[in-house]
Amino acid sequence: MIHKAMIVTPLLVLSLAACGSNADKPEASSSSTSAAPAATSVSDAAATPTAQKPSEAELRQAVVAYSDAFLDAKPTVGYELFSARCKERVTLSEFTGMLMAAKQMYGKAMPIKSFEAQMSGDLARVTYTYDVPALNQTKEPWVREGGKWKQDDC
């Protein structure tokens, strides 16, 4: 049992890192494009699908789906929302361990309280918050592959 705790604890830390918090990274290294993307901020209360650009609405939908899959421990659903680059770095088995640890710690999916996306073509940086500050994500990288938004923080 102790060995499991020794494995799960690092996985939990890794899962939070893989989930995308970049608050400790310098601003200069977090930008992957030379053009400054436009920022939009939308809170859940003010968000309506008709008020958002289609690509931002699709991005938000992907972020919510990934968040729900991550916190509800649905590894195959969440893994499908991983970019090809992340799938090369993290196996489904490793990802499953991270999700199981997150579910054990947080219990279930939570609604996103605030959402802000900086988009530039097929790249985006997304900041979103929850009622549990430890889950908040800052400038999490997302990439559009095959017309679908994928989480790219691995």
Side-chain angles (χ1 to χ4, degrees):
M1 197 66 162
I2 292 174
H3 290 291
K4 281 187 179 181
M6 291 172 64
I7 292 170
V8 171
T9 301
L11 283 176
L12 180 57
V13 171
L14 180 59
S15 72
L16 292 176
C19 197
S21 179
N22 291 323
D24 60 334
K25 295 182 184 173
E27 179 66 25
S29 67
S30 68
S31 177
S32 58
T33 61
S34 58
T40 54
S41 180
V42 182
S43 71
D44 274 354
T48 61
T50 57
Q52 298 174 341
K53 297 178 203 171
S55 61
E56 185 178 327
E58 292 166 3
L59 174 59
R60 183 183 174 98
Q61 183 178 14
V63 169
V64 169
Y66 179 80
S67 172
D68 289 352
F70 196 93
L71 294 171
D72 279 339
K74 295 179 180 175
T76 54
V77 174
Y79 201 72
E80 282 305 309
L81 291 164
F82 241 10
S83 68
R85 184 181 74 82
C86 286
K87 287 179 180 178
E88 289 176 8
R89 293 180 171 200
V90 180
T91 67
L92 178 57
S93 178
E94 292 167 328
F95 188 70
T96 299
M98 291 186 286
L99 271 60
M100 299 310 271
K103 178 152 181 72
Q104 195 171 31
M105 185 165 205
Y106 299 107
K108 62 179 179 175
M110 298 176 205
I112 292 175
K113 286 178 50 175
S114 67
F115 178 89
E116 179 184 323
Q118 297 174 327
M119 301 171 65
S120 180
D122 288 338
L123 301 174
R125 293 285 182 168
V126 183
T127 298
Y128 51 103
T129 63
Y130 300 89
D131 282 332
V132 177
L135 294 172
N136 293 350
Q137 301 302 308
T138 303
K139 296 185 179 180
E140 181 177 70
W142 284 74
V143 62
R144 193 168 30 203
E145 296 175 344
K148 305 256 184 217
W149 285 105
K150 305 287 182 160
Q151 199 268 17
D152 194 43
D153 189 18
C154 46

